[in-house]
Amino acid sequence: AQTVTQSQPEMSVQEAETVTLSCTYDTSESDYYLFWYKQPPSRQMILVIRQEAYKQQNATENRFSVNFQKAAKSFSLKISDSQLGDAAMYFCAYRSAWRQGGSEKLVFGKGTKLTVNP
Amino acid sequence: DARVTQTPRHKVTEMGQEVTMRCQPILGHNTVFWYRQTMMQGLELLAYFRNRAPLDDSGMPKDRFSAEMPDATLATLKIQPSEPRDSAVYFCASGPTLRVPTNTGELFFGEGSRLTVL
């Protein structure tokens, strides 16, 4: 079974600075998706960024980028120019790709609570 | 704007009462998932459906929980009888099946139902 580990329960960053959230995962599959979801106090789960394992290029979405290291099974999220609205819980998640067959479920890490200080 | 709709948003009930949570997935999505979020366990999969057929409910306590999809526009999660340890936020999520190669892998989440059992 796949597992996702987020080793930082809490992180803080100054407004306008850069912060990196860590995520590692364990799988024997070769094809899969990785995601970062954001959960603000409203508790809505919002997709921040996604990465397909067969793509070597790291995904970017405006101020958000990932460092995907497939061999190391590492998938970190970098937030640049942090804003007060970035304060939230961030969840790393894994999902098998369709070629693998098997379960379609999303497997989550425990989350990292990000605080942005003005 | 397509979204997953969950009701109720908040529910307070007494131990022993029946609780039913409802979810309307995004039109055209044929996989539906129920997740439970607690501080201790994080986000856990309770059950999921593909084309209304239950595929995995191994995370669900069978003696008191039940999940169904009476039709493609409605998924239900029922707890009977409820217990204080069931207090949590319950999320419904939907997405196209991964069996379609063009799938992006993303799941779309509802706003969650916060359940408090006294």
Side-chain angles (χ1 to χ4, degrees):
Chain A
Q2 293 80 26
T3 58
V4 177
T5 302
Q6 293 179 249
S7 59
Q8 306 153 316
E10 297 187 22
M11 291 282 285
S12 63
V13 63
Q14 292 296 125
E15 198 175 1
E17 297 295 307
T18 296
V19 64
T20 299
L21 308 185
S22 301
C23 172
T24 58
Y25 57 95
D26 188 29
T27 185
S28 58
E29 297 174 340
S30 59
D31 200 7
Y32 46 86
Y33 302 97
L34 294 166
F35 304 90
W36 280 97
Y37 278 87
K38 170 186 177 181
Q39 187 180 41
S42 67
R43 77 170 183 250
Q44 177 71 54
M45 296 289 284
I46 302 164
L47 178 67
V48 175
I49 200 165
R50 62 183 286 276
Q51 175 81 41
E52 296 177 60
Y54 70 87
K55 292 185 177 179
Q56 293 190 354
Q57 186 172 7
N58 288 325
T60 62
E61 286 288 342
N62 301 315
R63 298 181 295 106
F64 298 87
S65 61
V66 298
N67 184 3
F68 173 47
Q69 301 288 328
K70 191 172 184 180
K73 297 179 183 175
S74 170
F75 183 61
S76 61
L77 175 69
K78 185 170 82 171
I79 307 174
S80 303
D81 185 24
S82 297
Q83 301 175 0
L84 295 177
D86 295 334
M89 283 290 287
Y90 285 82
F91 292 95
C92 180
Y94 174 104
R95 197 176 187 205
S96 299
W98 70 276
R99 298 169 191 80
Q100 302 291 154
S103 176
E104 299 192 52
K105 67 183 180 183
L106 201 55
V107 178
F108 287 94
K110 295 290 189 187
T112 297
K113 182 180 180 181
L114 178 66
T115 301
V116 181
N117 300 309
Chain B
D1 191 22
R3 58 178 179 161
V4 176
T5 304
Q6 286 187 248
T7 56
R9 286 223 62 200
H10 305 274
K11 176 75 175 179
V12 180
T13 191
E14 294 191 349
M15 183 173 63
Q17 296 298 303
E18 177 178 302
V19 175
T20 299
M21 288 168 274
R22 293 177 174 81
C23 168
Q24 181 177 359
I26 292 173
L27 189 65
H29 286 181
N30 56 350
T31 60
V32 176
F33 300 76
W34 283 106
Y35 282 87
R36 176 171 65 183
Q37 184 178 29
T38 61
M39 289 292 292
M40 292 300 296
Q41 300 298 327
L43 284 149
E44 307 171 278
L45 179 72
L46 294 176
Y48 93 92
F49 299 80
R50 186 192 308 137
N51 296 324
R52 296 175 54 201
L55 292 184
D56 183 355
D57 61 2
S58 58
M60 197 165 66
K62 302 292 192 303
D63 56 338
R64 299 182 300 107
F65 284 61
S66 62
E68 296 180 345
M69 279 201 74
D71 62 59
T73 65
L74 177 64
T76 63
L77 180 66
K78 187 175 296 186
I79 308 174
Q80 167 63 22
S82 58
E83 296 181 1
R85 59 179 167 154
D86 302 329
S87 297
V89 178
Y90 292 81
F91 284 99
C92 177
S94 73
T97 178
L98 289 172
R99 298 317 191 251
V100 175
T102 54
N103 191 313
T104 62
E106 179 183 359
L107 285 186
F108 297 81
F109 285 79
E111 294 180 307
S113 296
R114 178 178 292 280
L115 173 66
T116 302
V117 184
L118 303 175

